[in-house]
Amino acid sequence: MSGGSTQQSLRKALGAIKDSTSVGIAKVNSDFKDLDVAVLKATSHVERPPKEKHVRTLFAATSAVRPRADVASCIQALAKRLSKTQNWTVALKSLIVIHRTLREGDPTFREELLNYCVTRGQILNLSHFKDDSSPNAWDFSAWVRTYALFLEERLECFRVLKYDVEAERFSRMKELDTVDLLEQLPPLQQLLYRIMGCQPEGAAFSNYVIQYALNLVLKESIKLYQAISDGIINLVDKYFEMQRHDAVKALDIYRRTGQQNQKLSEFYEICKGFDFSRNLKFPSLEQPPSSFLSTMEDYVKEAPQQFTAICRDFSENYDDQKVLVIPALEYRKTVEYEEPPLPAEPSAEPSDTEIINPVPSNENTDLLGLGESNPDVAALEESNALALAIVLSEPTSNGSSHNVNGGLDMMAGENGWELALVTTASSNGSALSESKLEAFLWHCIPAFFLSSIITIFSLGVALVASPFVALGAINSLLGNTVSSSAERRRMQPQR
């Protein structure tokens, strides 16, 4: 027994020597002497809460009227104190200073602390902190780690909400819409979970410094529980108008609230045994009725599955239009065929506009344009001295058909050319004499060559002008060639 007290006395003496040495070094080497000395004295090895005068000095150093360099220097001094110490008293008193500055100090400290955590890492991460100097120090170290988790979660909650619940005089949760409620209630519930984890165990239950820090935690829990309760009431009012995906999230939040109320009630019962809790007004915690929870679960099964985000965008962009969103699963009606309205009868009165009848489309479209009438081709055919003619035939006695003018018929079975070049029939219908025929042939030969030359010249011009004109010229040239060949064949028997 005497050995334990002697060891404890030695530890206290050694801690006092360390504190005095650190203060002396800070007065000589530090650029912010007053600030560093206040940090060292507020976080000394003495097992009692930080002195109020040192804490007030830190409040003044981190106020809005002071330069941001003073605030950053204070945070660096506290971070250095936490990272290098292995004593639970120094670590706990450093956390108490940070907690009180967050609660009672200027918001500048909170902003700089968040920036420091982003740029240089979490200074409140004490998951590996351990003081094994004594058996009781193990229980104290465990509570210090839990307390650091609460402060870290408090900063995270502020980062999400953009405001401090403890600093608000009136709760904002009563006026939030569904989207903000679903976003802000989970961080608050997580923070309340960290508060309930600060329940002291073992030797930490009777330590005065831990009770001092626990008093700060309990004060925040009461304000936090009120904010969550206001948010839950607002959420329940909007619940039966939510879409299904929002209703599922709201139901999960409501269930978690019921579970936390039971655990928080047990936590408050334990804390009521402390002397400092006599001045605290604990809220009355009631469990929600199970019938109401069943009603909420039934609504989730029948809630519409519409997309509120789409409806909101349409309602914002098109205020004058009514948007009807029909669930895809429920829309199974077949679209009925509606007959088109009959065209209006034309009025008897003549209109000023000219009505153009549509040209009937030909199914067999002439893509090459062979059926089109070309005035150039027609002129060439008319100027041709020779012409193709199919002459009417008369039946003969042997059953064959013969030309009226002496030519062979197309359907005749005789050998020879089917087409004949004839001249205009005479009025008396007599056959041509041999002399007149020879004179006619001698007259046709020069005409043939002349017609061929004209046709070839026209073909060259047509190739330049239009392919359709060229086709007509080729037709004419072939006609002339066939006519000439037929005439020569016809004259061979006569010779």
Side-chain angles (χ1 to χ4, degrees), residues 13 32 38 78 85 162 194 202 273 318 433 458:
F32 301 92
L78 292 171
T85 186
K162 306 302 180 184
R194 294 298 184 189
Y318 306 98
S433 62
S458 301

Side-chain angles (χ1 to χ4, degrees), residues 158-285:
F158 173 80
R159 188 185 63 82
V160 176
L161 272 61
K162 306 302 180 184
Y163 66 92
D164 191 2
V165 177
E166 182 66 22
E168 293 292 320
R169 298 182 58 184
F170 302 99
S171 178
R172 299 188 183 184
M173 307 301 292
K174 297 179 181 180
E175 301 176 356
L176 296 180
D177 56 1
T178 303
V179 177
D180 293 334
L181 284 173
L182 296 178
E183 181 182 0
Q184 296 184 14
L185 279 175
L188 294 177
Q189 290 180 332
Q190 182 66 20
L191 181 59
L192 185 61
Y193 173 76
R194 294 298 184 189
I195 288 177
M196 292 185 293
C198 292
Q199 178 179 341
E201 296 178 354
F205 190 84
S206 58
N207 187 271
Y208 179 69
V209 183
I210 292 178
Q211 290 181 6
Y212 178 88
L214 183 60
N215 185 24
L216 300 176
V217 174
L218 285 176
K219 289 180 180 179
E220 289 206 9
S221 68
I222 296 173
K223 192 72 175 288
L224 181 61
Y225 175 78
Q226 292 176 355
I228 294 176
S229 299
D230 294 338
I232 292 298
I233 293 174
N234 190 8
L235 189 69
V236 170
D237 292 340
K238 302 177 184 295
Y239 180 77
F240 295 98
E241 299 177 357
M242 296 180 183
Q243 307 302 323
R244 185 173 183 179
H245 60 284
D246 290 339
V248 170
K249 297 178 182 178
L251 181 60
D252 183 51
I253 292 173
Y254 190 80
R255 285 175 178 171
R256 190 182 303 174
T257 301
Q259 298 172 0
Q260 285 188 341
N261 287 349
Q262 183 178 359
K263 295 180 180 179
L264 187 62
S265 178
E266 297 174 358
F267 177 68
Y268 283 162
E269 289 296 329
I270 296 174
C271 294
K272 287 179 181 179
F274 298 110
D275 295 336
F276 63 83
S277 63
R278 296 175 183 177
N279 298 327
L280 297 178
K281 295 181 180 180
F282 294 97
S284 59
L285 306 178

Side-chain angles (χ1 to χ4, degrees), residues 7 20 40 46 73 112 141 181 187 196 203-204 209 238 262 281 283 357 360 387 416 429 433 448 455-456 459 480:
Q7 185 179 3
S20 61
L40 292 173
V46 181
S73 177
E112 289 295 327
S141 300
L181 284 173
M196 292 185 293
V209 183
K238 302 177 184 295
Q262 183 178 359
K281 295 181 180 180
N357 295 327
S433 62
F448 166 74
T455 304
I456 293 172
L459 179 61
N480 294 338

Side-chain angles (χ1 to χ4, degrees), residues 241-245 299-300 302-306 327 330:
E241 299 177 357
M242 296 180 183
Q243 307 302 323
R244 185 173 183 179
H245 60 284
Y299 175 77
V300 170
E302 301 176 357
Q305 300 184 11
Q306 300 172 0
E330 297 179 3

Side-chain angles (χ1 to χ4, degrees), residues 324-336:
L324 177 61
V325 181
I326 303 177
L329 297 178
E330 297 179 3
Y331 185 75
R332 297 182 179 177
K333 296 182 180 180
T334 58
V335 180
E336 297 181 358

